[in-house]
Amino acid sequence: MTAVLTPATADQPPPRPRPLSRTNLVATITTGYVPLVLATLVVVLPLVWMVLASFKTSSELLTQRLDVLPSSFAPTNYTTAADRVPFGRLFLNSLVVTAVGSAIKVVLAIMTAYALVFVRFPFKKVVFGLVLATLMVPPQVSVVPNYVLIVGLGGANTYWGIILPGLATGFGTFLLRQQFMSLPASIIEAAELDGAGHWRRMTQIVVPISTPAIATVALVNIVFEWNEYLWPLVIVTDPDMMTLPVGLTLLTNSENGADSYGILMAATVMVVLPVLLVFAAFQRYIVAGLTQGAVKD
Amino acid sequence: MAAVTAPADTGTTTPAGATATPAGRRRRRRGPSARDRRDYLVFIALAGPNLVLIALFTYRPLFENIYYSTLNWTLGATTATSVGLANYREFFTSPDAASILTTTAVFTVATVGGSMVLGLMVALVLNRRVRGVGFARAAVFSPFVLSGVGVGLVWLFIFDPVVGVIGALLRAVGRTSPEWFNDPTLTLVMVIIVYVWKNLGYVAVIYLAGLQSINKDLLEAAAIDGAGPRRTFFSIVLPLLSPTTFFVLLTSILNSLQAFDLLRIMNPLGRGTNTLIYEAYLQAFAGSNRVGYSATISTVLFGLLVVLTIVQLVLLERRVHYR
């Protein structure tokens, strides 16, 4: 029973031969596969439905019959959605905010975690406690005071205004601190004896051997920055500066009839697909990062 | 900065290396050495930017909210008048307060309970070692990483009484679609269903990790002693999972109390789904622009979070089974 321990290898068939009798097969299917397929379908079907609907015309949607497949896969709804809101521009905004925001957050997390683990300083426990406690503070509670501050500084409808308040990083620091503490002390000591300063120890030893953990933090940040909603919703009013989720809201204001779901689903696909692709490619890192004590929404 | 200079300011200590007293030769326990102080500067250079950001954008707003909550202040206005605790009095005596607190409680209990029970069931399903389980795990987790706005729109479409699938399926068996958008209670039910769908995979994957850390010998011993699967689950598996349950409960409550994206996109006016966080948003940014009143609600919410966290830490952790 303990032949396979980690989820990473769990989907490979067990190496030992297994008697494939008929009762065994039936039992495997009913207790193993049926619930598994059901659970998967409950999640996947709504997303498949979204993609199918994104190709349906408004008259197809209004027939009230349950036609599964659209009559054609012409991307009419996609071009219509891109006409109603400046989708290219929104995509660029989301890309800039996500790339800049998560890059800075990763660097800040590396520096803070390195300092907390390897640099002498009094009251380090207090400092770490203050960083950790931020995980319990919901960002929504901070919206109004941050709004007043950022608008006062002239940050409404600017990239820096969208990015800056979200840069403080408790989650990444927490995760990387755990990783750095698990590194063998002998490596760091050897570098110190060789005369390497903190900067060289951090950039040439600690960071290179922690690449998987840093990738995890980066990917989790990317997903969150891309989906971030409340803050960009309040700080941006100019359609040219909106991120994709905010632009999607703008689209619902003009497309609010029952027949406009084709256009809305096309727009949703464009917002959701990049994250789905990133997730499909790196799901092991993302799942591991998000389930290691993350308290963010 | 004070933390750095404080040890050096304690008078009797002279900077190391500055004098050649015998005490200077031994490693002094009081006061930092020059090398220590170089490290302190390195620490400030490395951790400082993040700590400043945390202070500015995470902690400052908590205190600022408390101050704002004593003001009568319209967003954008240059003047505000101090009103003491009037905002709190208004909130707690208004007829809305009861409904907002009830909605918050119902939404939180239903979403936390729903995603924990279903999440554990899904985790048990995903704990089988069959072909394709890796794909299923990824699929079940995926809604958690999707934009709440996108997920909300997909489900608005599915629930739509005219063009939605649910309505179509019900019509196929001779029923009519419930009026999800006209009945506030049904709207709340709908939002709860979608929230659970989105967060189920997160809970399931955490429970899965918990299940996989259970020592298989215990389960085999139980089987030898004649315990059936149900007995094994309730008497052995569930108690052993209690640290996981505790963690999931804590994070799920925090997450549910912060839920915003789905509420905003599925029911913008908030009728029936008006939780504390949503009311704080509506008051500040939708129409009335009452900053002070919004900050009051945010402060109430934050107080609630603090109390809940303390209660959980004190009461629950004592009962949690740790190996």
Side-chain angles (χ1 to χ4, degrees), chain B residues 91-106:
Chain B
F91 177 70
F92 284 110
T93 54
S94 81
D96 292 345
S99 95
I100 290 166
L101 290 171
T102 311
T103 306
T104 309
V106 170

Side-chain angles (χ1 to χ4, degrees), chain A residues 256-293:
Chain A
N256 48 17
D259 58 336
S260 53
Y261 273 111
I263 296 165
L264 288 177
M265 288 303 102
T268 307
V269 169
M270 290 192 269
V271 175
V272 162
L273 198 61
V275 172
L276 268 184
L277 292 177
V278 169
F279 179 71
F282 303 105
Q283 52 111 346
R284 271 182 55 201
Y285 290 107
I286 295 175
V287 172
L290 283 175
T291 50
Q292 271 176 37

